[in-house]
């Protein structure tokens, strides 16, 4: 009986330790009028599991998978998407649920998948160095 209980505890611990984490940085969400894009990374993932995420992501409605990349050395995979419509946080929530990714690092904060839709998209403004006039003292 003790061996059975120990086996159960170890299997639950192993399953919990193997959960993959999605990393989303909102500045990677590029919403434009005619073509939007987005990518996220999956941390601590082996090549086989990453390939499964890529295959499954192909059937997510509303986003078109552009490409993917995997680093064997760092065990990190990235999946890039595009859309003809604006990409919303609700859509990203649904994508993470669809891929069965529940732990999310969003802009450096550890949140649950259901909290994605309550976050803010940070838009980084580009400075055109040609239009900036140097300040004289």
């Amino acid at each position: 009986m003790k061996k059975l209980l120990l086996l159960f505890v170890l299997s639950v611990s192993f399953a919990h330790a193997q959960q993959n984490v999605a990393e989303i940085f909102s500045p990677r969400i590029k919403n434009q009028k005619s073509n939007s894009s987005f990518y996220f990374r999956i941390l601590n993932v082996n090549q086989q599991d990453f390939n499964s995420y890529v295959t499954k992501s192909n059937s997510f409605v509303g986003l078109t998978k552009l490409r993917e990349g995997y680093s064997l050395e760092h065990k990190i995979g990235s999946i890039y998407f595009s859309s003809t419509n604006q990409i919303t946080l609700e859509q990203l929530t649904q994508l993470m649920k669809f891929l069965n990714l529940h732990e999310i690092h969003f802009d450096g904060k550890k949140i649950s998948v259901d909290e994605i839709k309550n976050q803010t998209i940070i838009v980084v403004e580009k400075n055109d160095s040609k239009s900036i006039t140097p300040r004289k003292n």
Side-chain angles (χ1 to χ4, degrees):
M1 182 67 171
K2 287 183 181 180
K3 288 182 181 181
L4 185 59
L5 182 60
L6 179 61
L7 180 63
F8 175 76
V9 170
L10 289 174
S11 65
V12 169
S13 298
F14 179 76
H16 182 67
Q18 293 298 314
Q19 279 189 328
N20 298 119
V21 176
E23 180 184 62
I24 300 172
F25 285 112
S26 64
R28 294 178 182 156
I29 304 167
K30 306 289 184 192
N31 281 323
Q32 299 173 355
K33 289 182 182 179
S34 62
N35 189 19
S36 297
S37 64
F38 158 74
Y39 80 94
F40 74 99
R41 299 182 336 162
I42 303 172
L43 309 177
N44 224 12
V45 65
N46 64 46
Q47 179 78 57
Q48 184 178 358
D49 287 346
F50 179 69
N51 291 343
S52 295
Y53 286 121
V54 169
T55 301
K56 189 169 184 180
S57 71
N58 284 327
S59 60
F60 186 75
V61 177
L63 294 173
T64 303
K65 185 185 71 65
L66 292 175
R67 66 183 189 274
E68 72 277 346
Y70 181 77
S71 168
L72 185 59
E73 179 182 353
H74 295 94
K75 293 190 177 240
I76 295 174
S78 298
I79 306 176
Y80 298 76
F81 296 93
S82 71
S83 177
T84 54
N85 300 313
Q86 296 236 331
I87 297 171
T88 66
L89 294 174
E90 177 64 37
Q91 193 174 30
L92 298 185
T93 299
Q94 295 307 316
L95 174 63
M96 295 302 121
K97 286 182 177 182
F98 181 76
L99 295 175
N100 204 26
L101 292 164
H102 299 288
E103 185 178 331
I104 312 297
H105 292 182
F106 190 95
D107 288 345
K109 296 182 291 188
K110 186 176 177 180
I111 63 172
S112 73
V113 70
D114 289 319
E115 294 175 286
I116 295 172
K117 57 189 170 202
N118 300 325
Q119 303 304 307
T120 303
I121 297 176
I122 298 171
V123 178
V124 178
E125 294 184 20
K126 292 182 180 179
N127 287 334
D128 185 5
S129 61
K130 294 178 183 177
S131 66
I132 298 174
T133 309
R135 185 175 149 194
K136 294 181 180 181
N137 291 334

